[in-house]
């Protein structure tokens, strides 16, 4: 996965609060967060929201500058994205949102941008306060994606994914898939409280995987406004394989087998490894969000 060295990165799409302090609180669910916050880790493990670090404290991230919050200063160009993980995530966010903005326009509607918040340890959101234990998530209350970059090391060490830059990009594109669902009104379908292989919760997650694949298909042809050239210059078959491997690694069956020693499909919230790969591939091979109807 390579970026145009000369492209300018738009860091306004990322809020970097790593190292900021967010007050803790009693770990209770608040503001209807259950079914709203979309998790790659916590809900896979079958634990309750009180164990995920979500609190009723609410609030927004403390924007106090820290030694870790450096993207505004250090992430200027595509060359930076080719050498630093945090700058790479800025570039992925830029590319994903460029694509969805152009796609919504093509469909005669308007895309509302979403910021990604880089945090460490704990963060305040409109959906409540969360710790890094929950993994990457999207909060519809403030329409932001939240990401602790340390998750990517855990994706390899705890979940057995091969990793790689595009595995990271897949995670970000999946969360922006939830933002697209929020804008189009389908995200709320996951809030009926049901679980299982055929539940709306699983269908919403699989659609987000499909949307991630759709973006991946268009990534090397989506033009960046600063250069009128694609920000992403190269995606190889090996990159897509890394993305598919990451999708499988966070399948409900893989995680249940790894952490509880048995597979219980009735409690699934995100879909099996095979389903997640299938729907990412569906999006990637079609390049068409209309082919991502997981509710049929």
């Amino acid at each position: 996965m390579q970026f145009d060295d000369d492209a300018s990165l738009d860091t306004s799409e990322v809020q970097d609060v790593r190292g900021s302090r967010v007050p803790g609180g009693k770990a209770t669910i608040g503001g209807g967060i259950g079914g709203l916050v979309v998790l790659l880790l916590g809900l896979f493990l079958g634990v309750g929201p009180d164990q995920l670090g979500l609190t009723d404290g609410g609030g927004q991230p403390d924007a106090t500058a820290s030694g870790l919050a450096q993207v505004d200063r250090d992430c200027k160009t595509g060359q930076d994205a080719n050498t630093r993980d945090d700058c790479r995530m800025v570039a992925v966010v830029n590319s994903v949102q460029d694509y969805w903005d152009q796609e919504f326009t093509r469909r005669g509607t308007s895309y509302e941008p979403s910021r990604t918040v880089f945090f460490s340890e704990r963060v305040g959101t409109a959906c409540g306060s969360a710790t890094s234990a929950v993994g990457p998530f999207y909060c519809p209350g403030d329409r932001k994606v939240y990401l602790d970059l340390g998750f990517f090391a855990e994706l390899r060490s705890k979940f057995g994914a091969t990793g790689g830059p595009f595995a990271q990009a897949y995670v970000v594109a999946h969360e922006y898939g939830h933002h697209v669902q929020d804008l189009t009104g389908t995200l709320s379908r996951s809030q009926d409280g049901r679980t299982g292989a055929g539940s709306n919760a699983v269908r919403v997650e699989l659609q987000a995987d499909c949307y991630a694949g759709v973006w991946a298909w268009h990534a090397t042809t989506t033009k960046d406004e600063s250069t009128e050239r694609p920000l992403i210059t190269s995606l190889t078959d090996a990159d897509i394989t890394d993305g598919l491997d990451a999708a499988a690694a966070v399948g409900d069956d893989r995680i249940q087998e790894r952490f509880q020693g048995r597979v219980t499909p009735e409690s699934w919230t995100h879909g099996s490894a095979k389903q997640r790969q299938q729907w990412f591939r569906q999006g990637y091979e079609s390049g068409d969000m209309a082919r991502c109807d997981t509710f049929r």
Side-chain angles (χ1 to χ4, degrees):
M1 183 179 189
Q2 291 290 316
F3 300 89
D4 179 356
D5 283 343
D6 297 325
S8 297
L9 301 185
D10 182 0
T11 58
S12 71
E13 294 185 350
V14 173
Q15 182 179 3
D16 192 352
V17 298
R18 290 174 293 172
S20 300
R21 293 192 174 188
V22 177
K26 183 179 178 182
T28 57
I29 193 166
I33 194 171
L36 291 182
V37 172
V38 183
L39 310 174
L40 278 176
L41 287 180
L43 294 184
F44 279 133
L45 305 181
V47 298
D50 58 332
Q51 295 170 278
L52 296 177
L54 304 178
T55 76
D56 58 4
Q60 295 300 305
D62 181 350
T64 302
S66 73
L68 292 173
Q70 299 174 344
V71 294
D72 286 345
R73 184 188 70 198
D74 295 336
C75 300
K76 301 295 187 182
T77 68
Q79 184 175 15
D80 299 324
N82 284 323
T83 57
R84 290 176 54 124
D85 283 352
D86 51 359
C87 299
R88 181 186 304 119
M89 292 303 94
V90 173
V92 170
V93 169
N94 290 171
S95 175
V96 170
Q97 298 213 97
D98 282 346
Y99 169 69
W100 287 115
D101 181 60
Q102 293 168 27
E103 178 63 14
F104 273 53
T105 299
R106 189 181 71 82
R107 291 174 175 270
T109 58
S110 297
Y111 175 78
E112 179 184 324
S114 167
R115 296 182 85 185
T116 289
V117 179
F118 291 167
F119 73 98
S120 56
E121 296 185 8
R122 179 181 295 272
V123 68
T125 82
C127 297
S129 178
T131 71
S132 298
V134 305
F137 64 92
Y138 173 76
C139 173
D142 53 30
R143 288 185 164 172
K144 293 181 180 180
V145 171
Y146 291 86
L147 175 64
D148 185 329
L149 296 177
F151 166 76
F152 297 125
E154 293 188 344
L155 187 61
R156 296 190 301 273
S157 63
K158 290 186 178 181
F159 296 90
T162 56
F166 190 76
Q168 300 172 6
Y170 153 75
V171 171
V172 173
H174 172 95
E175 297 306 335
Y176 273 92
H178 290 310
H179 179 56
V180 170
Q181 291 172 322
D182 197 15
L183 296 178
T184 58
T186 58
L187 184 61
S188 61
R189 299 179 71 168
S190 67
Q191 299 170 28
D192 58 11
R194 298 179 181 178
T195 62
S199 66
N200 282 344
V202 167
R203 294 176 190 275
V204 162
E205 294 299 328
L206 296 179
Q207 186 176 65
D209 282 334
C210 188
Y211 286 164
V214 169
W215 160 74
W217 172 252
H218 293 279
T220 57
T221 58
T222 298
K223 292 183 179 180
D224 175 70
E225 290 185 1
S226 68
T227 62
E228 286 299 312
R229 300 190 304 269
L231 176 56
I232 297 177
T233 59
S234 173
L235 272 185
T236 66
D237 290 343
D239 290 323
I240 300 303
T241 297
D242 284 344
L244 287 166
D245 181 74
V250 291
D252 280 321
D253 53 340
R254 293 273 186 93
I255 290 182
Q256 287 179 342
E257 187 172 7
R258 179 181 289 263
F259 290 96
Q260 64 186 31
R262 67 187 188 282
V263 176
T264 55
E266 65 274 10
S267 66
W268 287 0
T269 57
H270 288 63
S272 69
K274 182 178 180 180
Q275 287 176 311
R276 301 203 68 167
Q277 288 187 320
Q278 172 190 342
W279 281 101
F280 175 85
R281 189 179 287 111
Q282 169 89 346
Y284 181 69
E285 292 179 352
S286 69
D288 183 2
M289 68 180 297
R291 299 288 299 275
C292 294
D293 186 0
T294 57
F295 294 92
R296 290 187 298 182

